[in-house]
Amino acid sequence: AYTLLQSLEAAGVHSGTELVFQIDDPRSFVIVFWACQIGGIVAVPVATGSGEYHKDKLLRILQTLRAPVVISDADVVTQAGINMLDVRTLLGIECAIERGIKHKTNEQGIALLQFSSGSTGTPKGVIVSPEGIGVNVVDMIERLNVTADDKYLSWMPLTHDFGIMGMHMVPIYAAIPHIILPTALFV
């Protein structure tokens, strides 16, 4: 995540930038997510898909943001018609050799913009702060009685709030192993 952050910074993505990402591979998704958290970049994860619904949702989300940057697969960008918008895209970005610089966390800032499905209209973004993530994750650890002996296995999409917080951040905070299966593999 630190070396990806350096690459993002070199590409002009800095603290406060809204980084929209559509990434299927859980490992790559997690690296981008944590690069955002380390660098103070606003993470905007969006579910992938090739149908009209997914293209329309992505375009509607992009139109609600200030100056978003998109990181995704080339085919997602082309299929969705993003190149017609005034949106910078990063395709196939590689991790740098050097590490990016950790940004001082603003606990009340924006760690994540979680968008609704948009199935009943325009997707709505919910601001999730670092403090909000921490409170929710600690509550889940306590309520679920997570212990050092536990292990997590998840198939939930990381773009879903429970997928990213409940099935990724809970085991990270609890320092326990977890495995994330690609949702399509589970299906």
Side-chain angles (χ1 to χ4, degrees):
Y2 273 102
T3 56
L4 176 64
L5 175 58
Q6 174 61 31
S7 295
L8 291 171
E9 290 170 344
V13 179
H14 300 290
S15 175
T17 302
E18 297 159 327
L19 183 64
V20 177
F21 51 100
Q22 282 192 307
I23 301 170
D24 272 328
D25 175 57
R27 183 176 190 278
S28 298
F29 182 101
V30 166
I31 290 169
V32 171
F33 178 79
W34 284 105
C36 289
Q37 300 313 300
I38 294 165
I41 298 164
V42 178
V44 186
V46 179
T48 60
S50 58
E52 289 302 314
Y53 165 79
H54 286 92
K55 292 178 202 175
D56 186 53
K57 178 181 176 181
L58 177 60
L59 289 173
R60 286 176 185 248
I61 288 170
L62 291 173
Q63 291 166 345
T64 67
L65 301 174
R66 291 172 293 148
V69 175
V70 176
I71 185 167
S72 187
D73 300 320
D75 59 339
V76 170
V77 172
T78 305
Q79 289 174 8
I82 295 171
N83 52 354
M84 295 178 214
L85 297 175
D86 185 21
V87 175
R88 286 192 314 128
T89 59
L90 303 173
L91 307 173
I93 193 164
E94 299 290 328
C95 291
I97 296 171
E98 300 294 320
R99 292 169 57 99
I101 299 168
K102 179 162 179 19
H103 181 79
K104 184 174 177 3
T105 302
N106 174 357
E107 289 299 317
Q108 286 75 43
I110 303 173
L112 167 68
L113 277 176
Q114 185 78 47
F115 277 87
S116 66
S117 67
S119 59
T120 60
T122 300
K124 309 223 178 6
V126 174
I127 295 172
V128 182
S129 68
E131 179 181 48
I133 290 172
V135 167
N136 279 296
V137 169
V138 168
D139 282 351
M140 282 187 258
I141 289 169
E142 289 174 3
R143 294 241 184 234
L144 297 172
N145 296 317
V146 176
T147 71
D149 296 327
D150 289 330
K151 295 173 181 62
Y152 266 55
L153 172 67
S154 176
W155 56 266
M156 291 201 69
L158 291 166
T159 54
H160 187 278
D161 56 347
F162 192 68
I164 191 67
M165 284 200 244
M167 301 307 288
H168 174 64
M169 298 193 79
V170 163
I172 291 287
Y173 272 61
I176 59 175
H178 70 292
I179 298 167
I180 303 169
L181 294 174
T183 303
L185 177 63
F186 174 78
V187 171

